[in-house]
Amino acid sequence: MTAGITDAAHVVDPATVMGLLPARPRLLALGEPTHGEDDLLELRNDLFRQLVEQEGYRTIAIESDCMMGLVVDDYVTSGTGTLDDVMERGFSHEWGAFAGNRELVRWMHAHNDGRPACEQLRFAGFDGPLEITGAASPRQALTELHAYLTAWVAADLLPCTAETLDRLLDADDRWTNPAAMMDPSQSVGQTPDATQLRLLADDLVTLLDTHTPQLIAASSQEDWHRSRLYGRTATGLLRYHYWMADTSPSRMPWLLSLRDSMMAANLLALAERGPTLVSAHNGHLQRDKSTMRMWDQPLLEWWSAGAIVTAHLGEEYAFLATALGTIRHQGVDAPPPDTVEGLLYALPQQPCLIDVRQLAAALADATPAHRESPWYGYSPLDPAHLAGTDGIVFVKDARRSETPPAFSND
């Protein structure tokens, strides 16, 4: 068995990755089992550089607020702002504090310097404007979408004025109240004003869609793409706030599903624009259902963003799951030898890319055990999900990060 597993291990580079896949993907997803580890960020950055140089990739998308990501994209493409400011304002979940993310943005900015727009690298966040403690106000997305339509569409077609939106939105802290996550009665998501905003947002998005030929010709395709992002975000946020106010047992399944649905919609929009490397937690990118157990509730299940995207793109979506041997600074020591991570831990080549088909053949009828993590911030590979991966990137030992992870495993 050991020799067979060794044969399944290959170097991590674009040529090897593409050799594992049935077709060249529009979205190449690189998952991670925990957030913020320097080794994983460096590996991601190295792979993206190689994909740019060898495979013509032009975009990277990470698990960060899609609206904040526009700040980073403006910096890497046009030099708007400073690196320090962009790292502070352009990332959610405190991802801007990590050295690997800073180096990615610095390199992309330097790479784009002096290049025409068609050759420039692009940055995108593909998460919704959501945090564990709640969700953002829909103000920015709604007002940006309304302003774009106001500039290019006849005034009598607009369903409302900017003043009406402002009145219905009222103070932003009504929407961002962190108490609403634990107490639905604190949410404004089902108030009459919020209900009216959902209807108006739907009409604004419909107006954007029905006037697509005119809008692209009058403004630019880039402005139209950005306005579509505003529309997806506005409707997604209003839907999310609605379910934050719900008191039924369906509340948490809806919220978890909506987040991954927003992720999937953003990824599908990026896929329209060209090959993209996607970086996020394995749980969001996998083709299987995601699960979570919260407090004393039954196990929660919902379809991951990767599963939704796969349903749309088929073989044009590829998923590489990353597995870790140890994270000793978090109490995660050498894996048991009968787990997937334990079987890979003895390999001499590190890091390595595992061909899951060869791995399955080497294991024959043996079913690896599921590794248990002593640290809540690390999610081991689920052996039942191996068939849904196109490859495993294995990193033997994670070094201590310069900055501790801001979030746990999601």
Side-chain angles (χ1 to χ4, degrees):
M1 180 186 295
T2 303
I5 293 175
T6 301
D7 292 340
H10 307 278
V11 65
V12 184
D13 65 16
T16 308
V17 170
M18 297 302 166
L20 297 182
L21 306 177
R24 189 172 189 268
R26 283 194 269 170
L27 296 177
L28 174 59
L30 177 65
E32 58 183 14
T34 186
H35 288 311
E37 293 297 330
D38 287 343
D39 293 282
L40 302 189
L41 296 178
E42 290 173 11
L43 188 150
R44 176 204 66 188
N45 292 351
D46 288 342
L47 181 60
F48 181 55
R49 291 188 190 101
Q50 294 177 62
L51 287 167
V52 169
E53 295 165 358
Q54 301 173 29
E55 295 291 335
Y57 274 59
R58 290 290 179 268
T59 303
I60 186 168
I62 76 166
E63 185 186 332
S64 183
D65 182 335
C66 57
M67 297 288 285
M68 297 177 79
L70 298 175
V71 174
V72 184
D73 190 55
D74 286 342
Y75 174 73
V76 300
T77 56
S78 61
T80 303
T82 65
L83 180 58
D84 287 342
D85 179 60
V86 166
M87 298 311 297
E88 181 177 350
R89 296 192 304 111
F91 292 83
S92 59
H93 307 82
E94 300 182 24
W95 297 153
F98 293 109
N101 289 332
R102 185 182 184 90
E103 173 56 24
L104 172 69
V105 175
R106 186 208 61 76
W107 177 77
M108 292 177 69
H109 177 267
H111 180 279
N112 284 345
D113 188 29
R115 295 178 187 266
C118 62
E119 296 180 9
Q120 289 189 339
L121 305 182
R122 304 298 298 268
F123 178 95
F126 72 94
D127 200 352
L130 310 171
E131 295 280 358
I132 287 177
T133 54
S137 164
R139 176 180 299 278
Q140 182 186 1
L142 271 175
T143 55
E144 293 281 7
L145 174 59
H146 187 275
Y148 174 73
L149 291 170
T150 299
W152 303 110
V153 173
D156 59 351
L157 291 176
L158 291 168
C160 65
T161 64
E163 290 73 22
T164 298
L165 285 182
D166 187 62
R167 175 178 58 79
L168 294 171
L169 287 162
D170 201 7
D172 285 345
D173 57 9
R174 295 196 315 148
W175 299 90
T176 58
N177 179 10
M181 180 52 74
M182 301 300 294
D183 181 3
S185 69
Q186 298 290 315
S187 172
V188 298
Q190 293 187 17
T191 61
D193 285 354
T195 300
Q196 183 64 21
L197 283 169
R198 287 187 75 183
L199 293 172
L200 292 173
D202 182 70
D203 283 344
L204 289 169
V205 170
T206 300
L207 194 60
L208 178 69
D209 181 58
T210 57
H211 284 69
T212 291
Q214 169 193 333
L215 292 169
I216 292 177
S219 59
S220 69
Q221 193 157 50
E222 181 61 35
D223 289 342
W224 176 75
H225 275 295
R226 183 165 289 203
S227 294
R228 288 176 70 204
L229 172 61
Y230 296 144
R232 291 192 303 274
T233 304
T235 54
L237 277 174
L238 287 163
R239 199 174 293 122
Y240 194 91
H241 280 288
Y242 175 89
W243 283 100
M244 283 186 70
D246 186 66
T247 58
S248 76
S250 298
R251 180 179 187 261
M252 284 309 302
W254 262 100
L255 293 178
L256 293 167
S257 297
L258 285 171
R259 183 185 178 195
D260 274 74
S261 175
M262 291 175 73
M263 288 183 169
N266 286 331
L267 289 177
L268 289 169
L270 289 168
E272 296 175 11
R273 309 189 67 178
T276 299
L277 177 66
V278 182
S279 172
H281 196 276
N282 285 332
H284 290 302
L285 300 179
Q286 66 191 25
R287 291 188 173 96
D288 297 271
K289 275 188 172 181
S290 296
T291 60
M292 178 184 292
R293 190 175 297 279
M294 301 182 67
W295 309 297
D296 57 349
Q297 297 186 25
L299 184 70
L300 301 174
E301 294 185 325
W302 70 98
W303 286 109
S304 65
I308 297 170
V309 170
T310 297
H312 288 272
L313 296 185
E315 293 181 347
E316 292 186 294
Y317 176 78
F319 170 50
L320 305 177
T322 296
L324 271 170
T326 71
I327 320 173
R328 298 189 190 279
H329 51 278
Q330 297 291 356
V332 181
D333 293 321
D338 60 343
T339 63
V340 174
E341 291 88 349
L343 293 166
L344 302 179
Y345 194 70
L347 292 173
Q349 181 175 311
Q350 299 292 342
C352 57
L353 176 63
I354 305 299
D355 184 330
V356 291
R357 294 163 299 185
Q358 289 181 284
L359 177 63
L363 294 176
D365 296 327
T367 301
H370 193 295
R371 184 184 190 184
E372 298 296 328
S373 172
W375 176 47
Y376 68 93
Y378 163 62
S379 299
L381 279 182
D382 185 341
H385 292 173
L386 290 181
T389 65
D390 294 297
I392 301 170
V393 175
F394 184 70
V395 176
K396 187 171 185 177
D397 300 294
R399 300 165 295 168
R400 181 181 292 275
S401 300
E402 295 180 12
T403 306
F407 266 28
S408 57
N409 64 354
D410 200 18

